[in-house]
């Protein structure tokens, strides 16, 4: 942890604002828009070069069932997620919120402010609220030419800043602002610093991501889990199949085990995991996503304590397990259960006790300077998809991750 006393006021404020976010570890991303009607990925407009006037016709088919956000929020809560981030406007340019700046928005096409519904649903489940907002806009006439035409840039920046102001003014307290793709301008072109100052004036506690071209509060590795270097906050966002928006034929679903393993890796390295659903046009969540999240939720009910508020963990090396840490407790998350007896090599810290979660039955163990060996465990995995041991250590656990046996005599009598 960083020494708090030498921090600037801005850094201290960031620590205050981000406390809940670091503890939360797990959030739900929601990609929903007119592309959900097509059902061929949220980039359909661009990938299939659909003309604006033709794409606009989709508004006629976008009439969601009553209050689908309630289902999403309940699902997120069941899955053990603590916050949600929804697309208020994706690259297609269609706004799910009420805006003075365009008629291309849900309140004027289907008579509903879908962002207001979402905020209400998230709040009623006790979840934090995030807004995704795409700077890149394939619909607005200035959305591409703003790069070459200064008058267009000014108009477009006015449009974007105006909408961001609406989002930060009309929906009560917001927890996260999640910008996306800043093509075709730079941070200077978007006047991002000014825009984010406005955001912070309107929403003093808000957490802002890095995609307006300035670093702000956190980084956003996409579809991979890569920790940021010391102290910098990060959140890995990921799909459950290969698409963010609803894609009817995309059957490349990750297993619940893979999702849980990803969440563990994020928690191990001090990051968050933002996992996506792509609701259908009527707002219902694809069955496969519901099934996966329900399994993840059952696991989180039992093992959430090993994930929430986990601190960065230096122990990482195993071919059948992964690790998280809180204080001096090391959690060994076993995804390929090896059987009754097995060991973790290279642990440099004394182990005081070992328990099998979730109930905490004591586990017999032996430790020498090279390894800690567990005995008398069940032959079959005690739980699915991942079983967990909790090791109480004498100090913050660390691990020798290379050549753990180099100092062990080759004729060692150690067991
Ligand atoms: C990308 C994609 C987009 C998706 C986003 C999520 O930048 O363009 O479709 O919304 O990442 O991180």
């Amino acid at each position: 942890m960083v020494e708090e006393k030498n921090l600037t006021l801005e850094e201290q404020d960031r620590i205050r604002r981000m406390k809940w976010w670091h503890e939360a570890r797990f959030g739900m991303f929601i990609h929903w828009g007119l592309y959900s009607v097509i059902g061929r990925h949220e980039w359909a407009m661009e990938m299939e070069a659909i003309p604006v006037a033709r794409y606009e016709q989709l508004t006629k088919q976008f009439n969601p069932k009553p209050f689908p956000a309630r289902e999403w929020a309940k699902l997120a809560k069941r899955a053990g997620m603590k916050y949600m981030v929804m697309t208020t406007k994706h690259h297609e340019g269609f706004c799910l919120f009420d805006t003075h700046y365009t008629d291309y928005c849900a309140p004027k096409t289907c008579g509903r402010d879908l962002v207001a519904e979402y905020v209400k649903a998230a709040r009623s489940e006790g979840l934090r609220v995030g807004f995704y907002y795409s700077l890149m806009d394939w619909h607005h006439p200035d959305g591409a030419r703003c790069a070459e035409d200064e008058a267009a840039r000014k108009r477009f920046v006015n449009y974007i800043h105006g909408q961001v102001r609406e989002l930060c003014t009309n929906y009560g307290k917001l927890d996260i602002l999640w910008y996306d793709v800043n093509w075709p301008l730079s941070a200077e072109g978007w006047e991002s610093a000014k825009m984010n100052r406005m955001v912070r004036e309107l929403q003093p506690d808000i957490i802002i991501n890095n995609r307006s071209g300035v670093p702000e509060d956190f980084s956003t590795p996409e579809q991979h889990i890569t920790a940021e270097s010391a102290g910098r906050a990060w959140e890995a966002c990921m799909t459950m199949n290969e698409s963010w928006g609803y894609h009817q034929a995309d059957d490349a679903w990750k297993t619940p085990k893979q999702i849980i393993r990803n969440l563990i890796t994020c928690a191990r390295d001090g990051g968050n995991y933002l996992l996506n659903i792509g609701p259908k046009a009527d707002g219902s969540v694809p069955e496969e996503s519901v099934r996966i999240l329900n399994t993840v939720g059952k696991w989180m009910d039992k093992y959430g304590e090993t994930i929430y508020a986990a601190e960065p963990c230096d122990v990482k090396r195993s071919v059948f397990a992964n690790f998280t840490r809180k204080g001096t407790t090391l959690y060994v998350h076993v995804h390929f259960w090896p059987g009754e007896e097995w060991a973790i090599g290279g642990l440099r810290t004394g182990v005081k006790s070992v328990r099998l979660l979730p109930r905490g039955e004591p586990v017999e163990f032996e430790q020498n300077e090279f390894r800690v060996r567990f005995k008398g465990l069940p032959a079959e995995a005690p739980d699915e998809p991942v079983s967990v041991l909790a090791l109480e250590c004498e100090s913050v656990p660390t691990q020798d991750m290379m050549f753990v046996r180099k100092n062990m005599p080759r004729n060692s009598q150690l067991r």
Side-chain angles (χ1 to χ4, degrees):
M1 235 12 248
V2 216
E3 277 280 330
E4 297 214 6
K5 58 178 184 271
N6 295 326
L7 297 179
T8 62
L9 285 177
E10 192 189 333
E11 287 162 339
Q12 286 175 25
D13 188 57
R14 175 168 291 141
I15 290 171
R16 176 192 68 77
R17 284 184 290 107
M18 297 193 71
K19 186 169 183 293
W20 75 263
W21 187 89
H22 282 298
E23 290 174 1
R25 290 283 170 246
F26 195 22
M28 174 183 272
F29 215 171
I30 302 127
H31 276 68
W32 197 42
L34 298 179
Y35 45 81
S36 316
V37 177
I38 310 180
R40 291 197 298 270
H41 193 279
E42 78 286 355
W43 271 67
M45 184 178 183
E46 174 75 7
M47 298 309 237
E48 301 183 32
I50 305 172
V52 168
R54 188 182 169 96
Y55 196 88
E56 281 175 346
Q57 299 303 311
L58 293 168
T59 55
K60 296 190 184 128
Q61 290 160 267
F62 191 64
N63 288 301
K65 64 179 179 179
F67 215 175
R70 205 197 296 270
E71 270 172 44
W72 314 337
K74 285 190 189 302
L75 180 62
K77 178 91 177 274
R78 264 205 317 278
M81 293 157 157
K82 300 291 189 188
Y83 61 103
M84 302 172 86
V85 179
M86 184 183 72
T87 50
T88 60
K89 181 195 85 166
H90 201 262
H91 314 332
E92 65 178 7
F94 182 70
C95 303
L96 298 185
F97 58 101
D98 199 9
T99 172
H100 293 303
Y101 293 85
T102 177
D103 288 342
Y104 198 47
C105 65
K108 292 172 201 164
T109 61
C110 67
R112 285 159 63 187
D113 185 331
L114 298 169
V115 168
E117 292 185 15
Y118 154 73
V119 172
K120 190 167 168 205
R123 292 282 178 230
S124 68
E125 293 302 323
L127 300 170
R128 301 276 187 157
V129 175
F131 285 175
Y132 165 109
Y133 181 81
S134 172
L135 298 170
M136 175 164 81
D137 192 313
W138 297 327
H139 180 267
H140 193 287
D142 294 324
R145 66 184 174 209
C146 60
E148 277 93 44
D149 174 343
E150 177 58 11
R153 189 196 67 82
K154 284 209 171 102
R155 280 194 305 269
F156 195 48
V157 163
N158 186 49
Y159 178 84
I160 295 287
H161 287 211
Q163 290 203 326
V164 170
R165 175 181 287 281
E166 290 178 324
L167 287 169
C168 292
T169 309
N170 299 341
Y171 299 93
K173 186 169 184 290
L174 279 191
D175 299 299
I176 300 163
L177 179 58
W178 215 103
Y179 291 116
D180 198 13
V181 185
N182 63 0
W183 184 91
L185 300 174
S186 62
E188 291 70 38
W190 291 109
E191 302 179 35
S192 297
K194 182 175 157 203
M195 177 166 69
N196 293 338
R197 267 200 308 279
M198 166 187 81
V199 170
R200 293 197 192 282
E201 264 163 38
L202 296 165
Q203 297 280 347
D205 295 335
I206 204 163
I207 297 171
I208 305 178
N209 80 349
N210 62 343
R211 294 198 184 176
S212 65
V214 275
E216 295 293 349
D217 294 319
F218 69 98
S219 299
T220 51
E222 180 173 322
Q223 301 288 39
H224 61 96
I225 299 173
T226 311
E228 278 286 325
S229 50
R232 168 84 182 156
W234 59 278
E235 170 190 74
C237 53
M238 224 177 255
T239 48
M240 278 193 257
N241 52 6
E242 292 176 9
S243 321
W244 300 93
Y246 178 54
H247 191 160
Q248 199 172 5
D250 179 348
D251 60 356
W253 297 102
K254 295 179 183 63
T255 60
K257 180 184 265 197
Q258 190 56 54
I259 303 271
I260 290 168
R261 289 180 62 185
N262 288 343
L263 175 59
I264 291 165
T265 304
C266 290
R268 179 194 74 186
D269 290 346
N272 283 12
Y273 192 44
L274 185 66
L275 183 62
N276 183 71
I277 59 166
K280 300 177 188 177
D282 70 353
S284 58
V285 182
E287 277 163 36
E288 201 69 15
S289 305
V290 174
R291 197 182 60 76
I292 294 167
L293 289 179
N294 283 340
T295 306
V296 172
K298 286 201 188 103
W299 188 87
M300 284 296 277
D301 282 345
K302 287 182 271 182
Y303 303 107
E305 60 167 307
T306 70
I307 301 292
Y308 303 124
E311 300 167 86
C313 178
D314 285 337
V315 182
K316 300 181 201 282
R317 195 179 190 231
S318 164
V319 287
F320 46 75
N322 203 347
F323 306 87
T324 59
R325 174 186 77 87
K326 264 169 147 177
T328 54
T329 306
L330 178 67
Y331 298 104
V332 182
H333 296 266
V334 187
H335 47 266
F336 302 142
W337 185 259
E340 294 164 29
E341 234 181 83
W342 45 274
I344 298 294
L347 202 67
R348 288 205 188 100
T349 322
V351 174
K352 296 196 288 192
S353 69
V354 179
R355 289 170 299 126
L356 177 63
L357 297 187
R359 289 193 310 197
E361 299 94 330
V363 173
E364 223 189 305
F365 70 100
E366 275 175 9
Q367 187 175 20
N368 61 41
E369 69 176 293
F370 302 103
R371 63 191 200 141
V372 52
R373 197 156 62 96
F374 310 105
K375 302 196 295 189
L377 284 163
E380 302 297 326
D383 207 350
E384 289 296 336
V386 174
S387 304
V388 188
L389 301 189
L391 277 54
E392 296 308 326
C393 301
E394 279 159 8
S395 55
V396 171
T398 59
Q399 185 183 30
D400 179 352
M401 295 208 278
M402 295 294 276
F403 311 118
V404 292
R405 297 177 310 113
K406 67 178 178 294
N407 297 323
M408 186 194 282
R410 297 284 145 145
N411 61 357
S412 167
Q413 297 305 302
L414 285 172
R415 287 177 40 82

